[in-house]
Amino acid sequence: MIILSLCDYSGIWSRPYEEAGYLVIRVDLKHGHDVRLMEFPKQRIHGVIMAPPCTVFASSGARWERSREDMIEGLSVVDACLRYVAICNPQWWVLENPIGKLARYLGPPAMRFDPCDFGDPYTKRTCLWGTFTKPQPTKVTPTLGSKMHTQYGGKSERTKELRSATPEGFARAFFEANP
């Protein structure tokens, strides 16, 4: 079975599928592949994971003004992801983004979570949209608080990549609920 993982630079979210023997196709601009240029698939797609860049959408960045062009650029990636869902008609699909402006364009999320809900001891309020089975929580105390600010502040590409990495506990729980 094929899992399409869009805007998944770290590969953490799709790794449990890969380890279970699924064919995972990762499409990320940092790997040289633009989701906006994807063509109609030649094979049946089982599931689609999407984590479009949150730079213009995240509430944590609300203090920085976003231009109309910034918003159009960000939404063009989200639109391309959702276009692919429409043409693939997968068994399940999910789009992730931190709490923020994206709900203005996609409506209310199907689910919200913090990494500590799935065994990773920190907070980062995250929203999920899509058609999927909600994973079973395994809550722990968020002893690290919001490490996005305490450990991953700054504007470098490296800190942006660290902030955007999918929590491993959530990735495993999502896989178990959506084989």
Side-chain angles (χ1 to χ4, degrees):
M1 288 192 281
I2 300 174
I3 301 298
L4 190 58
S5 187
L6 307 177
C7 308
D8 179 20
Y9 174 72
S10 72
I12 294 170
W13 195 351
S14 55
R15 189 175 303 135
Y17 291 94
E18 199 169 51
E19 290 170 351
Y22 290 71
L23 173 59
V24 173
I25 300 171
R26 291 187 184 99
V27 177
D28 191 279
L29 195 55
K30 289 185 177 188
H31 293 300
H33 305 288
D34 193 330
V35 67
R36 294 169 292 187
L37 298 175
M38 290 178 55
E39 297 178 357
F40 189 82
K42 292 178 175 59
Q43 298 170 301
R44 173 92 173 103
I45 305 297
H46 177 71
V48 181
I49 294 169
M50 299 166 279
C54 66
T55 307
V56 298
F57 305 120
S59 292
S60 60
R63 63 180 171 243
W64 291 284
E65 185 69 28
R66 304 299 183 206
S67 71
R68 176 179 165 82
E69 291 75 23
D70 291 338
M71 293 303 295
I72 290 170
E73 176 70 16
L75 286 169
S76 74
V77 174
V78 172
D79 289 349
C81 288
L82 295 175
R83 174 178 47 87
Y84 220 70
V85 168
I87 64 172
C88 289
N89 193 27
Q91 183 171 331
W92 56 261
W93 65 274
V94 60
L95 187 144
E96 173 275 341
N97 223 253
I99 201 105
K101 295 178 185 174
L102 200 51
R104 294 180 189 175
Y105 304 96
L106 300 182
M111 179 182 162
R112 292 182 178 101
F113 76 93
D114 275 298
C116 61
D117 296 338
F118 295 97
D120 293 295
Y122 67 97
T123 59
K124 179 188 177 193
R125 198 69 170 154
T126 302
C127 299
L128 300 176
W129 290 265
T131 303
F132 58 90
T133 301
K134 292 180 181 179
Q136 191 65 37
T138 52
K139 295 185 180 205
V140 298
T141 303
T143 55
L144 298 177
S146 176
K147 67 181 187 176
M148 299 305 113
H149 301 289
T150 59
Q151 296 178 29
Y152 302 143
K155 296 180 180 180
S156 75
E157 279 305 304
R158 180 70 183 138
T159 57
K160 288 179 186 179
E161 290 165 3
L162 291 168
R163 282 193 303 266
S164 69
T166 303
E168 291 187 28
F170 169 76
R172 174 65 49 196
F174 188 88
F175 164 74
E176 291 170 0
N178 297 276

